[in-house]
Amino acid sequence: MLKITNLQKTFNPGTVNEKVALCGLDLTLADGDFVTVIGGNGAGKSTLLNAIAGVWKPDYGTIELDGIDVTNMPEHKRAKFLGRVFQDPMKGTAPDMEIAENLAIASKRGIKRKFRWGVKKSDRKQYKELLATLELGLENRLSTKVGLLSGGQRQAVTLLMATLNRPKLLLLDEHTAALDPKTASKVLYLTNKIVSENHLTTLMITHNMHDAIEYGNRLIMMHEGEIVVDVSGEEKKKLTIEQLLQMFEVSSGSKFGSDKAILSK
Amino acid sequence: MAFLNTLPGAVAEGLIWGLLAIGVYISYKVLDIADLTVDGSVCTGACVCAVLIGVGCPVIPAVIVAFLAGAVTGVVTGLLHTALGIPSILAGILTQLMLYSVNLTILGGKSLATIDPRTNRLLLNMSDNPKSIIVMIGIVAAVIIGLWLFFYTEIGLTLKSTGDNADMSRAQGVDVSRNKVIGLAISNGIVALAGAMLAQYKGSANINDGRGAIVIGLAAIFIGLSVSLKIKPNFVVSLIGVTCGGVIYYIVYNFVILLGLKTDFLKMLSAIIVAIFLAVPYLKTTHFQSKKTVPPIVKNTTGGEGDA
């Protein structure tokens, strides 16, 4: 489904702020894989997701989605394949537009938009049913401006928007990090539900080791722009945080650098 | 009494500037771009319309060509901004400066083109204010209905989201750059349409028409929205409010002239109105609101028994 070959990216090359974000990263995802990504600050996790989404072009390497080379495809064209939820709950929805209008825009992701009525009656009915599955009481607030919702509600709506048109790949960039613990676990529960019901191929960055182990069928750990740990299947199911930290130290030759990730359970 | 006599004229001219304000609303409020092309494109609309009528072109085609010319100016600004990466405010200034030369060329190197309302069949003119008001209400209504239909289509919704949240739009497969160009074309097309109406109303097009037009447009938007948002915050009501804002602006404008303000100071007045409307929301958050919403924490200094 996703095939990344020798991906390299350096920010601000030739300046004092030069930062090698990705150095020759290879990654292949099979259809239906739910991969959690963990790593310290500056490990290159978000850089990896942004490269796949096409926020900027990599310096070197190729990205293939569903057998199509998308390395040079602009962000809005690549969106056809991708569902995205950002860390910042404000980033995924248009605040001055109604919930129904946001969903209507998402429902046409990857489809040629025309001069047809944007939100039809039948659409509203469908959106109502979908919103009801979130169990947040949003099904009766279709005409509410999204800007009036809480961060957690906005993140749940973004999740719905990202998956309304089945994406080839779902990209979740620490999408619960900005939420309070209770809301975060609710959004994570919804994520797991939507991903497993639709068998979505998913790449989820998290700062929480516990979540990284609990969710998904494969876990990768990044360090200085490379993948240093990659466990899947039965091995991942039995994994503990202590084992994970040990594997990290062995393969990267350094201590895991994020207290936040170790401490949050 | 003198004030009442000027009222029909103020309403007619206010409606023309209200139409211009609808154009500015598309760029400033929907796309979130302060587009300074407007000062040039309103003049382009006036010049194109006046010159075409002058060479014997019927009025309706002349107005349509003026609209299209305005749309082209919007495309130029849009491409300067999106394809060449020039900040939008600077892109608008550059197009505006280009348009000064273009407009002079359209006028044939002169600074003025006149249209005689007696020999040409015009849609409106200051010699017949009641008719002008009816024509302008019709045009404004047609533009608002057109925009209403357009902005609720699949494509129109993405134009709204482009200005509201560009990140979200790109993630949903929206070509943000293309939408900005389309939006600026529509905006400046409407502005040029207002220019064409202004030329007919005044019976002339002047190279200096439109200086400060963006400021008048913004004033109309702020005045109109301060009322309409309280009634119902939706697209159509906002557009109607913005048009009324233009009318209110012109009534106040005429009133101030009657009070004896030197016309030299009118542009100063327009700028001050806009500055006040832009400053008030900011000052509210920095100077006033915090005191109201967050009560000061009163420290308990007398009884310290509970603290161990």
Side-chain angles (χ1 to χ4, degrees):
Chain A
M1 184 52 65
L2 172 72
K3 190 164 180 255
I4 294 173
T5 319
N6 194 17
L7 197 66
Q8 299 179 18
K9 179 74 187 177
T10 303
F11 288 109
N12 309 311
T15 70
V16 283
N17 293 322
E18 182 172 293
K19 163 90 182 125
V20 180
L22 296 172
C23 40
L25 184 138
D26 295 301
L27 178 68
T28 305
L29 259 60
D31 209 354
D33 264 355
F34 182 176
V35 181
T36 56
V37 185
I38 198 155
N41 293 331
K45 307 176 305 265
S46 290
T47 310
L48 171 64
L49 247 62
N50 286 335
I52 298 169
V55 177
W56 30 253
K57 272 180 202 163
D59 300 332
Y60 196 80
T62 56
I63 302 167
E64 265 180 47
L65 274 166
D66 205 19
I68 300 163
D69 185 351
V70 298
T71 317
N72 292 312
M73 196 184 268
E75 190 179 355
H76 69 269
K77 283 201 176 139
R78 227 184 273 198
K80 173 162 72 173
F81 306 105
L82 303 168
R84 288 162 72 190
V85 185
F86 309 92
Q87 179 171 359
D88 181 357
M90 305 300 136
K91 227 175 161 183
T93 41
D96 242 7
M97 299 176 74
E98 297 173 2
I99 294 179
E101 291 174 332
N102 272 276
L103 289 169
I105 289 172
S107 73
K108 290 286 175 294
R109 182 176 49 77
I111 301 168
K112 194 161 171 55
R113 294 181 170 93
K114 293 185 181 145
F115 286 110
R116 274 189 310 227
W117 210 240
V119 189
K120 293 186 283 288
K121 257 211 176 109
S122 57
D123 295 334
R124 295 186 88 89
K125 201 170 154 246
Q126 185 209 351
Y127 300 156
K128 214 170 164 168
E129 286 165 10
L130 281 166
L131 286 165
T133 63
L134 297 179
E135 294 162 22
L136 292 170
L138 294 176
E139 58 272 23
N140 297 316
R141 297 177 67 186
L142 275 178
S143 301
T144 302
K145 297 252 161 85
V146 171
L148 297 172
L149 305 183
S150 70
Q153 287 172 326
R154 282 183 76 163
Q155 216 55 335
V157 171
T158 309
L159 193 61
L160 203 58
M161 286 167 64
T163 53
L164 193 54
N165 246 353
R166 193 176 193 282
K168 301 272 186 204
L169 177 65
L170 179 62
L171 299 175
L172 307 169
D173 187 359
E174 292 206 50
H175 67 307
T176 61
L179 308 174
D180 65 82
K182 204 175 154 217
T183 315
S185 67
K186 169 92 190 173
V187 170
L188 209 52
Y189 160 78
L190 286 169
T191 306
N192 197 42
K193 191 174 133 191
I194 291 173
V195 168
S196 54
E197 276 173 7
N198 299 294
H199 308 287
L200 297 174
T201 313
T202 304
L203 206 51
M204 177 172 91
I205 298 180
T206 170
H207 60 270
N208 186 318
M209 285 207 166
H210 185 260
D211 292 339
I213 291 170
E214 187 179 334
Y215 295 99
N217 64 335
R218 184 174 164 195
L219 182 151
I220 60 178
M221 204 170 202
M222 289 185 68
H223 181 66
E224 291 178 354
E226 283 175 299
I227 294 170
V228 289
V229 175
D230 188 343
V231 282
S232 54
E234 283 303 308
E235 192 189 358
K236 177 179 180 289
K237 274 183 196 162
K238 287 183 254 161
L239 200 64
T240 63
I241 291 178
E242 289 72 25
Q243 281 175 332
L244 193 54
L245 287 171
Q246 205 187 358
M247 287 165 82
F248 178 81
E249 278 167 34
V250 169
S251 51
S252 72
S254 65
K255 287 255 181 206
F256 187 71
S258 169
D259 293 340
K260 193 176 151 200
I262 301 165
L263 293 173
S264 52
K265 297 206 173 178
Chain B
M1 198 59 214
F3 175 66
L4 284 180
N5 283 336
T6 64
L7 208 53
V11 173
E13 201 164 352
L15 282 166
I16 297 172
W17 289 93
L19 178 63
L20 175 129
I22 291 175
V24 177
Y25 182 93
I26 304 297
S27 56
Y28 187 73
K29 280 285 172 186
V30 178
L31 292 178
D32 200 20
I33 291 174
D35 175 29
L36 298 182
T37 317
V38 169
D39 282 23
S41 57
V42 64
C43 186
T44 304
C47 295
V48 167
C49 183
V51 168
L52 282 178
I53 291 174
V55 297
C57 174
V59 174
I60 303 271
V63 168
I64 292 171
V65 174
F67 172 86
L68 294 175
V72 171
T73 69
V75 170
V76 171
T77 300
L79 290 177
L80 284 174
H81 173 47
T82 59
L84 302 181
I86 298 169
S88 58
I89 199 149
L90 210 48
I93 292 173
L94 292 176
T95 312
Q96 187 196 111
L97 196 61
M98 290 176 203
L99 286 177
Y100 188 82
S101 301
V102 172
N103 294 340
L104 262 182
T105 311
I106 295 171
L107 291 175
K110 296 185 295 254
S111 64
L112 188 78
T114 52
I115 325 166
D116 190 344
R118 283 161 300 183
T119 53
N120 294 293
R121 285 176 59 119
L122 301 181
L123 291 172
L124 71 170
N125 190 261
M126 60 204 302
S127 60
D128 188 352
N129 275 320
K131 182 193 163 198
S132 300
I133 290 171
I134 292 166
V135 168
M136 278 317 296
I137 288 175
I139 289 172
V140 167
V143 168
I144 290 179
I145 291 170
L147 290 174
W148 173 62
L149 290 172
F150 172 70
F151 275 100
Y152 283 93
T153 61
E154 292 170 3
I155 292 173
L157 282 180
T158 68
L159 237 75
K160 276 195 200 165
S161 76
T162 294
D164 203 12
N165 186 344
D167 285 319
M168 168 270 192
S169 302
R170 273 188 288 266
Q172 298 301 340
V174 174
D175 189 342
V176 169
S177 298
R178 193 196 60 181
N179 272 2
K180 282 184 181 169
V181 176
I182 294 174
L184 287 172
I186 295 173
S187 165
N188 283 292
I190 294 169
V191 167
L193 180 64
M197 293 300 147
L198 193 66
Q200 294 177 61
Y201 182 76
K202 294 197 308 181
S204 68
N206 187 310
I207 188 69
N208 287 320
D209 280 346
R211 182 167 291 172
I214 177 78
V215 178
I216 298 173
L218 289 175
I221 289 174
F222 294 138
I223 295 167
L225 291 186
S226 67
V227 181
S228 70
L229 285 181
K230 291 199 177 80
I231 301 167
K232 202 171 193 287
N234 79 24
F235 189 65
V236 173
V237 175
S238 293
L239 291 184
I240 295 170
V242 164
T243 315
C244 295
V247 175
I248 294 167
Y249 177 89
Y250 255 80
I251 291 173
V252 173
Y253 183 95
N254 270 335
F255 187 65
V256 175
I257 294 177
L258 282 177
L259 287 180
L261 184 82
K262 276 175 80 181
T263 45
D264 299 358
F265 282 97
L266 288 173
K267 294 234 189 295
M268 173 73 92
L269 184 73
S270 311
I272 289 172
I273 290 176
V274 170
I276 289 172
F277 272 98
L278 286 170
V280 165
Y282 171 75
L283 293 176
K284 260 187 185 166
T285 57
T286 54
H287 287 74
F288 305 107
Q289 209 165 17
S290 58
K291 285 176 195 160
K292 271 186 198 165
T293 51
V294 185
I297 297 161
V298 183
K299 274 193 176 171
N300 188 356
T301 48
T302 48
E305 274 182 21
D307 306 322

